[in-house]
Amino acid sequence: MEKLKIMIASPVRRRPDILTEFLHGLASIDGGDHELIFRLVDDNDDPASTELLKSFQAMQAQKGISAKIEQADRSAEIPFQCNENTHIWNEMLVWRVAKSKDGFIRQARDERVDALLLVDSDIVLHPGTLLRLLETGKPIVSEIFWTQWQPGTAPLPQVWLSDEYDMVSREPGTLLSDAEIKRRTNEFLAMLRTPGLYQVGGLGACTLIGSEALRFDLSFRKIRNLSLWGEDRHFCIRAECLGFDLFVDTTLPALHLYRTSDIGKLPAQRVHWRNMGRGAAEDDSRPRLLLSMTMRNEAEGHLREMLARCKDYIDAASIIDDGSTDGSADICRQALAGIPLRIVRNDEPKFGNEYELRQQQWAEAAKLNPQWVLALDADEWFEDRFKDGLSAMLEQEEIDVYSFRIYDFWDDCRYREDEHWNSHGLYRPLLVRYRPHFPAVWSETPVHCGRMPWNIFSLPNAISPFRLKHMGWAKESERRRKHERYSESDPDGSYGSKAQYESIMDANPLLVEWSENG
């Protein structure tokens, strides 16, 4: 990544104990090779908090880092009350904060920075937050944190889907039952608990704004004909109107010191962060091994058995439901209960244009920021000894791509082997270390495009001795259905072999007995 100039800014009005932890977090931010500058607005009531800002400024100066402090306009005294129950915001104070944030945006433009990180002064950041947000490549992206807005309630995120703080996905005008609202809310919250990158409708308090977005008229000022509470909501509406999608990253959750008592959570949080490192390959919050899969109407096939076998060694799953009209998605939820699962549904199937489907599969897996991706189809599973050798593949540092032989089974215990059916003579890439900046390129063919990018072998790669059993041909009904599909989608054999298509329904194919000993 090229060297960037990044401004980190915050309007500050905090008790000294909370401000101390906030500033410690800023001082610990890993900026990589980038140039960091700090811009703070001092709106403090307590002189001790003002002294803390000056000490931070002096400490940064010793490191050669610019940290400027501007005094807030205090011509009007506006109270700000924080207690162990809640924060009590005055309407005038909200728009004073908005004015400070707009000032940071103007400074960012004037100083020609490449990105502006706005962070509230009661947020303690993981040291790797800035680099992770930059890695996403999104013009506007927040890092998640969770808050008990009222004592004794469940923690909720600072992001939402629509309106003031709605976490339910729905089309305009759709009426939902209370049970459905609860289900969709829980689904949204469960998604955010899974490390990854997700599009949202609203965000705030810890937001990176890239240079692409800074060129536009973004602002936190009040939109006069909207009654939504809070400057962040008005910023988000403007951003969407200007064509910027909003995203939240959930791989390195920040800690919100909403109450003084929350400071007691910091020691355990920092131990956890130290164990995580910067959020690179050893980050325990990332799925170590992510199952990536597409499916369509697999309820009567091998889906249940395939998932049961995978569950023993995967850490999360990303599944594209390509327009299923059966219970495939429910089977996935049942079979993978207890494992982070994200199912993305295509209402209009992409099955007839495979490269678009595989691109989508890759993109959705990337959103979960995994360490490794295992791409399997819903009718495949590895031989039993694969589980014993998997850890060694995942733990080594030299190889990024592993390829495997795939055996086409014609019944439960025999695979086909003749001039048209010998795919097990080749090795195909199925297991890849996720590299965020890898420029994936796909073969743009409607069938047989491959489940991995065609340029995957530009990464360090090796072949694996473990074999994959493809059970999708094991029943005559399945063979007949696939014969019809290939005859319709590729009648001339332009993307595959016409002779192989015609051989699918051979009455007496050559079959070989499978041996688990290889």
Side-chain angles (χ1 to χ4, degrees), residues 228-240:
L228 296 181
W229 172 258
E231 79 285 358
D232 286 327
R233 291 173 177 83
H234 293 252
F235 170 86
C236 292
I237 289 171
R238 281 194 179 88
E240 287 281 354

Side-chain angles (χ1 to χ4, degrees), residues 70 83 89 94 143 168 182-183 196 224 238 253 313 342 362 382 390 424 438 446 480-481 509:
E70 178 184 339
N83 54 47
W89 284 83
V94 168
E143 186 58 53
V168 178
K182 182 177 180 180
R183 187 191 72 79
R224 291 187 302 106
R238 281 194 179 88
Y313 52 77
R342 185 161 185 256
W362 180 270
F382 283 99
L390 177 60
H424 49 278
F438 175 70
R480 190 173 302 281
R481 177 167 54 86

Side-chain angles (χ1 to χ4, degrees), residues 1-5 33-35 114:
M1 185 182 294
E2 63 178 316
K3 183 174 181 177
L4 305 176
K5 182 179 181 180
D33 295 327
H34 305 307
E35 176 189 355
D114 297 290

